[in-house]
Amino acid sequence: MSPAAKPTIGILTGGGDCPGLNAVIRAATKTALPLGYDCIGFLKGYEGLVDPVAYMPLDLRNTADILLHGGTILGSTNKGRFSALVGEGDRRQIDPHLLDQAADTVRQLGLAGLVCVGGDGSLAIAQQLHEHGVPVVGVPKTIDNDLGGTAFTFGFDSAVACATDALDRLHTTAASHERVMVLEVMGRHAGWIALHAGIAGGGDVILIPEIPWTFEHVCASVVDREREGKRFTLVVVAEGAHLPDGTLVHDGGQGEERQVRLGGVGGIVAAEIAKRLGREVRAIVLGHLQRGGTPTPFDRVLATEFGAHAVRLVHEGRFGRMVCYRPPDIASVPIAEAIACLSCVDPSSSAVQAARALGIGFGDAPPLRGPFA
Ligand code: F6P
């Protein structure tokens, strides 16, 4: 590795993929080149920074036409050697030798800055690199929308669009067969996707981690709709919604809450409604469908603004910061602040209040009807 002839900006994408990653790569490259920088993209997230170091040049040719493509042309790694999270809220010190290697790579290539695009896990790694003297800038990515310091992460709107489309489709089949349909969506420990898709897709019951719920109230919503002549119900449940006894449903995996793969709560909710009410119920897990595919126009714009702003931060030497969306502006916050605590749905937010006013149940109270009930 020899230092590049021109000042160079490195970009990497870490953690789970999501729509809009390529839009960030394209925007950062197109912004950086006219400012006199070269751009390189490290492959497979942080893994590309260390043995074997792997990167590709980014230019106008290979970043053309990627705006609309989901995933990431650089590849990504989830939970690789750099994992910086252990349990819920627990940070892990990354092996100092790995940090040294990564810092050496950045130094040997003479990088002016390293743009790290990722969710809370990837940005926790970026923070440690920053503390290790690496000039990093963060870009908030995740369909879960659970990063602090920003109103929205890119990818969230695309996931909500996909979940809303699923609800639209379930609506017609639920109505035709007079069934209860339970749609399980992603979001980890935050209910943003369930809340927004539930409202946008005309859901009748929304179950999220932030609002404790009971089966009695969920079933009461189904019965209440039937009294009104509506013989079908759409239930949207976030994968991280605890069962009424507090159980978090997951694959039993590695045992630490932050690391386990969530999923399965929808099937349990469906079975219990069927058992209690004797209705026909079906459970659908949307899964990775909501993480793939083309980004929505909103996500394309947000990701583009994020990519351009990240280069601006490098150019101004403002390292250790994450770009963020503070409507109507794009700004930045310290990465440490963004990852300090996850952003969750506020149960008293206007979105929850509006949903309740429309009669949408959250499983925590008898069904309410009427404006501002
Ligand atoms: O963080 C994004 C996310 O899609 C979560 O909503 C979900 O719980 C998790 O990643 C799934 O991870 P994996 O792709 O590793 O199964």
Side-chain angles (χ1 to χ4, degrees):
M1 271 183 298
S2 51
K6 272 184 171 180
T8 300
I9 294 178
I11 305 172
L12 63 82
T13 53
D17 73 326
C18 92
L21 284 164
N22 285 325
V24 175
I25 296 166
R26 169 181 174 271
T29 305
K30 290 190 81 162
T31 305
L33 298 182
L35 288 172
Y37 294 99
D38 275 341
C39 286
I40 60 171
F42 290 96
L43 306 183
K44 298 189 177 176
Y46 292 96
E47 296 292 318
L49 284 171
V50 292
D51 188 25
V53 173
Y55 60 89
M56 62 186 261
L58 293 169
D59 53 39
L60 292 181
R61 190 171 302 172
N62 63 13
T63 58
D65 302 327
I66 62 171
L67 173 64
L68 67 166
H69 294 303
T72 162
I73 59 167
L74 299 177
S76 189
T77 303
N78 215 353
K79 306 181 183 80
R81 285 178 284 178
F82 279 85
S83 184
L85 296 178
V86 190
E88 179 66 36
D90 286 342
R91 309 273 164 206
R92 184 180 81 107
Q93 183 56 47
I94 298 166
D95 178 353
H97 297 301
L98 269 182
L99 293 174
D100 283 344
Q101 276 184 45
D104 280 351
T105 301
V106 170
R107 206 173 307 114
Q108 283 174 26
L109 288 170
L111 296 191
L114 178 67
V115 176
C116 304
V117 190
D120 66 326
S122 300
L123 292 179
I125 298 168
Q127 175 63 20
Q128 290 195 29
L129 283 173
H130 169 61
E131 290 163 8
H132 216 73
V134 178
V136 301
V137 160
V139 176
K141 161 244 69 162
T142 169
I143 64 165
D144 305 335
N145 199 38
D146 61 355
L147 267 165
T150 184
F152 291 108
T153 55
F154 74 86
F156 170 65
D157 188 63
S158 304
V160 169
C162 176
T164 302
D165 178 59
L167 281 169
D168 291 346
R169 290 165 188 270
L170 292 174
H171 205 130
T172 53
T173 176
S176 304
H177 290 270
E178 299 188 342
R179 282 173 175 166
V180 178
M181 293 289 194
V182 179
L183 177 68
E184 178 183 306
V185 297
M186 285 183 167
R188 289 206 59 82
H189 303 291
W192 292 110
I193 298 176
L195 176 66
H196 282 237
I199 294 173
D204 306 303
V205 178
I206 300 172
L207 304 177
I208 57 176
E210 296 86 347
I211 301 181
W213 52 274
T214 68
F215 282 114
E216 287 74 22
H217 287 130
V218 172
C219 291
S221 287
V222 176
V223 172
D224 183 62
R225 282 178 54 77
E226 290 175 354
R227 274 198 213 103
E228 292 215 321
K230 294 169 183 156
R231 302 199 60 79
F232 68 95
T233 298
L234 294 180
V235 180
V236 188
V237 54
E239 63 178 2
H242 295 79
L243 293 173
D245 68 1
T247 305
L248 186 69
V249 186
H250 55 74
D251 66 353
Q254 300 90 336
E256 281 149 346
E257 191 166 287
R258 193 64 165 263
Q259 301 284 12
V260 292
R261 193 173 303 138
L262 299 178
V265 64
I268 295 173
V269 170
E272 192 66 23
I273 297 173
K275 190 172 107 191
R276 290 182 182 227
L277 296 180
R279 306 290 191 278
E280 259 205 293
V281 190
R282 296 287 186 273
I284 300 92
V285 180
L286 194 52
H288 289 79
L289 288 173
Q290 71 208 284
R291 224 170 74 182
T294 189
T296 58
F298 179 87
D299 274 339
R300 295 183 199 190
V301 175
L302 190 63
T304 298
E305 288 200 50
F306 278 176
H309 201 83
V311 168
R312 180 171 160 178
L313 290 179
V314 172
H315 196 57
E316 292 173 356
R318 300 175 69 202
F319 299 113
R321 301 186 70 80
M322 179 192 86
V323 300
C324 66
Y325 182 38
R326 293 262 168 86
D329 298 316
I330 301 296
S332 69
V333 289
I335 296 173
E337 190 182 310
I339 59 174
C341 67
L342 292 182
S343 159
C344 289
V345 172
D346 175 357
S348 60
S349 63
S350 57
V352 174
Q353 284 185 40
R356 288 194 196 276
L358 265 64
I360 296 174
F362 286 85
D364 61 336
L368 300 173
R369 299 226 168 262
F372 311 110

